[in-house]
Amino acid sequence: MGGRRGDVRVGGVVAVIVLLVLALTGAQGGADASVRQPTPSAEPITLSGTGQEVTEPFALTGGLAVVRSECPSCTDDFIVELLDDRRQVQDLVVNRIGSYEGTKGVAASAGDHVLQVNADAPWTVEITQPGDQPAAALPQTWAGSGDRMQGPFEADRVVTVAAANTGDGNFVVTVVDADGRSQDLVFNESGNFAGSAVARMTSEGPYYVNVTSEGEWTLALSAP
């Protein structure tokens, strides 16, 4: 009889432990669901409007976002700002006068965002998040016009950049990492320019290059 009472007592303890484990597991599952990050869209996010406007919210995951902006009929200021979920400016994407078309890679936080646009004509903005892409080995040569993002490329945290630019306005070349974070401001010139410099990166690759220009440009990247 005593043995049977002992068996019942042990079985009750085991049952209580099992119930506690199940309760804790359920609580942890609920906590994980509450901090789930937004899922990146496989399709580009396309936004459009006319004149000055704040767009509807859209979700981005943390990391690199490529923003392509167009205002072909603009004659005055064309300004595009990316605002985070607290409506703080995360990046000044475009600040030009007149007709514009260009791309820029920016570092986006995870969560809802809006665009704040100032224009005097119809405009369109397309946002993509490229994620992991195959990176090209050095050397690499690119040519283009206006604002462009190029890459990705691999480098051992250092790269030699030779550049040439023709035209008025600023000529700026910045290396960013795969999360869109700025690594090195390689050139910050104005007007016609030709030269070379060594860029040093603090984070691991792959890397991209943001080019700001109002004219024609070429870039040649090589290992130092």
Side-chain angles (χ1 to χ4, degrees), residues 69-136:
S69 308
E70 290 187 29
C71 190
S73 301
C74 274
T75 58
D76 206 337
D77 291 335
F78 179 49
I79 301 171
V80 178
E81 295 174 302
L82 177 67
L83 278 56
D84 62 19
D85 56 359
R86 295 180 296 175
R87 300 306 179 255
Q88 301 296 311
V89 176
Q90 196 157 46
D91 199 288
L92 175 59
V93 184
V94 181
N95 186 9
R96 288 293 182 83
I97 296 175
S99 177
Y100 179 85
E101 185 275 323
T103 60
K104 182 182 181 182
V106 304
S109 60
D112 283 342
H113 295 69
V114 298
L115 294 179
Q116 183 166 270
V117 181
N118 186 10
D120 64 350
W123 52 265
T124 302
V125 177
E126 181 181 274
I127 303 172
T128 56
Q129 293 200 262
D132 294 334
Q133 290 186 341

Side-chain angles (χ1 to χ4, degrees), residues 1-179:
M1 295 293 291
R4 284 195 296 273
R5 283 196 298 270
D7 291 344
V8 171
R9 201 174 297 122
V10 171
V13 171
V14 171
V16 170
I17 292 173
V18 170
L19 289 173
L20 286 173
V21 169
L22 290 173
L24 287 172
T25 302
Q28 290 173 350
D32 290 343
S34 67
V35 297
R36 202 169 289 151
Q37 299 294 344
T39 302
S41 172
E43 298 296 327
I45 299 168
T46 302
L47 305 159
S48 60
T50 300
Q52 187 168 341
E53 187 175 342
V54 176
T55 67
E56 292 295 320
F58 53 89
L60 296 175
T61 58
L64 176 66
V66 182
V67 185
R68 182 175 183 269
S69 308
E70 290 187 29
C71 190
S73 301
C74 274
T75 58
D76 206 337
D77 291 335
F78 179 49
I79 301 171
V80 178
E81 295 174 302
L82 177 67
L83 278 56
D84 62 19
D85 56 359
R86 295 180 296 175
R87 300 306 179 255
Q88 301 296 311
V89 176
Q90 196 157 46
D91 199 288
L92 175 59
V93 184
V94 181
N95 186 9
R96 288 293 182 83
I97 296 175
S99 177
Y100 179 85
E101 185 275 323
T103 60
K104 182 182 181 182
V106 304
S109 60
D112 283 342
H113 295 69
V114 298
L115 294 179
Q116 183 166 270
V117 181
N118 186 10
D120 64 350
W123 52 265
T124 302
V125 177
E126 181 181 274
I127 303 172
T128 56
Q129 293 200 262
D132 294 334
Q133 290 186 341
L138 297 176
Q140 289 293 314
T141 301
W142 296 304
S145 62
D147 295 349
R148 291 289 180 270
M149 189 193 78
Q150 301 287 347
F153 67 92
E154 284 288 359
D156 190 15
R157 297 187 186 236
V158 62
V159 61
T160 298
V161 184
N165 181 71
T166 60
D168 299 329
N170 293 330
F171 175 60
V172 181
V173 177
T174 307
V175 177
V176 301
D177 66 13
D179 289 324

